[in-house]
Amino acid sequence: MINKTRGIDPQPFAGLTPEVVLDAAAAFGLEPDGRLFALNSYENRVYQLGADERQLVLKFYRPARWSDAQIAEEHQFTAQLAAAELPVAAPLVIAGDTLFRYQEFRFAAFPWMRGRSPELDAPEARQILGRSLARVHQVGAARPFVVRPRIGVQRLGWDARAQVLRSELLPAALTERYATVSAALLECVSEAFTAALGVHEIRIHGDCHLGNLLWNEHGPVFVDLDDCATGVRVQDLWMMLSGSPAEQQRQWGELLEGYRQFAELDFAEVRLIEPLRALRMLHHAAWVAHRWGDPAFPRAFPWAAEPRYWEGYLQDLLEQIETIDNPPLLQHP
């Protein structure tokens, strides 16, 4: 199966061999020693270069996804966070630039950041994370993005829905049902966003989940701002909540306890948590379907080619409509 989207190379990294990666590093004076390890990444291609204290991370950007100007805003935001002494991997500056071209590829180099997988149930871990996210948002609120995308219903909802409907991954027998259920869900999401008009949007991380965090002796390390965007603050908080309503309330209280030491959260944003979760559900399925021609995606998500996955997914969308109507009751601690 392939995606029907025209004009986009489904395998844009086919020519990015280890030799090309090493040659790209050498071309910009990074002095590769031949040690190169591919890191876990689907949208881009990311490599660990070197070892010991000389380790770097090279991120090769997927062609045609972000413009140079959008990548520049990602790098500027990251540099501003680093200047505020936040634990982020800021891109290296070489001859005044942070985005480099080698052959048909664009890439950036970042310092290797030490850390382990986060354990948010450890004592005070969520409070520490809340403090760090509040500081990120204080920097994010200082000025707006100009060309980065917005976390909104059109891009992550209706556009995502259209991508799935164009994809051959969606079984023909389920097309009508998907169209009906996804439209009903998006109507609920749209109503929630309309009701929240006036909530202030700022520059945010945009994709703040455990896979984009490391943890060291000082707390969280933000390693990837590839999806930074304009959006509401709660977008960077809700993915840290899981489990039963009682567990989510406890986790929420811990996050806010830390967050409110450095910033305030408009509690009206809490009403957007489940609508934002719905947008992520819709966008993730569209992302997999849209990238299916990239060999990394069938390897990582083999179940997406099975009708039973889409049947379960449709049930999840139906349940999310109910959850939006009756969300977990999160209160100020």
Side-chain angles (χ1 to χ4, degrees):
M1 294 183 180
I2 60 172
N3 187 276
K4 296 178 181 178
T5 302
R6 298 177 180 177
I8 297 176
D9 182 359
Q11 301 186 36
F13 296 112
L16 189 63
T17 63
E19 292 77 16
V20 170
V21 173
L22 292 171
D23 288 346
F28 288 88
L30 298 177
E31 300 180 356
D33 60 5
R35 287 176 285 190
L36 187 70
F37 305 93
L39 301 177
N40 187 35
S41 179
Y42 303 116
E43 189 65 7
N44 304 303
R45 293 297 183 267
V46 183
Y47 301 89
Q48 176 186 333
L49 183 72
D52 304 322
E53 68 278 358
R54 296 182 60 194
Q55 290 179 89
L56 294 175
V57 172
L58 305 184
K59 178 166 75 171
F60 286 78
Y61 286 89
R62 180 176 290 272
R65 182 173 182 239
W66 301 130
S67 67
D68 287 1
Q70 288 172 322
I71 295 172
E73 283 198 331
E74 172 207 336
H75 290 181
Q76 291 161 7
F77 184 33
T78 309
Q80 289 162 14
L81 295 173
E85 299 184 345
L86 276 151
V88 297
L92 301 186
V93 179
I94 300 175
D97 293 320
T98 57
L99 181 63
F100 316 119
R101 291 183 179 273
Y102 186 79
Q103 297 181 7
E104 70 268 34
F105 302 108
R106 296 174 300 169
F107 74 99
F110 300 84
W112 173 263
M113 306 293 284
R114 292 187 305 106
R116 61 184 186 279
S117 296
E119 297 178 5
L120 294 187
D121 286 326
E124 299 188 354
R126 284 190 177 84
Q127 291 94 327
I128 295 170
L129 177 58
R131 291 199 296 269
S132 296
L133 285 171
R135 293 178 60 211
V136 169
H137 291 166
Q138 289 298 83
V139 174
R143 66 185 68 173
F145 281 136
V146 177
V147 292
R148 293 294 301 185
R150 177 177 173 267
I151 303 291
V153 181
Q154 184 61 48
R155 180 174 68 95
L156 300 180
W158 293 109
D159 291 351
R161 176 178 180 268
Q163 285 181 336
V164 170
L165 288 171
R166 289 195 300 266
S167 172
E168 293 182 358
L169 277 182
L170 179 65
L174 296 176
T175 298
E176 184 176 350
R177 187 177 174 212
Y178 171 81
T180 300
V181 171
S182 59
L185 177 58
L186 280 168
E187 290 298 336
C188 293
V189 172
S190 296
E191 289 175 4
F193 271 81
T194 298
L197 284 177
V199 172
H200 186 52
E201 296 182 335
I202 62 171
R203 295 180 298 173
I204 59 173
H205 185 289
D207 193 28
C208 192
H209 58 80
L210 293 180
N212 278 336
L213 288 178
L214 293 175
W215 204 271
N216 63 22
E217 63 274 17
H218 303 295
V221 178
F222 301 98
V223 295
D224 189 4
L225 274 79
D226 193 65
D227 286 288
C228 61
T230 297
V232 293
R233 295 168 183 253
V234 79
Q235 168 68 13
D236 284 348
L237 298 171
W238 74 262
M239 277 182 272
M240 301 301 160
L241 307 178
S242 62
S244 68
E247 290 171 327
Q248 291 190 44
Q249 177 60 54
R250 173 184 59 80
Q251 296 162 5
W252 179 247
E254 293 170 356
L255 275 173
L256 276 191
E257 182 182 343
Y259 190 93
R260 294 168 72 185
Q261 294 180 32
F262 288 93
E264 286 299 322
L265 180 73
D266 184 345
F267 201 65
E269 293 189 24
V270 176
R271 301 171 189 169
L272 293 176
I273 289 178
E274 294 307 326
L276 287 166
R277 192 190 309 272
L279 290 180
R280 187 169 182 83
M281 294 166 68
L282 291 164
H283 180 257
H284 184 270
W287 174 61
V288 173
H290 188 54
R291 298 293 190 224
W292 196 250
D294 184 328
F297 281 74
R299 288 196 300 268
F301 310 103
W303 55 84
E306 300 176 5
R308 62 182 180 179
Y309 159 76
W310 292 97
E311 292 167 356
Y313 175 66
L314 284 169
Q315 184 59 39
D316 291 341
L317 296 186
L318 281 170
E319 292 175 0
Q320 189 61 19
I321 294 174
E322 176 65 24
T323 303
I324 290 174
D325 290 337
N326 299 282
L329 188 60
L330 300 179
Q331 302 288 348
H332 276 297

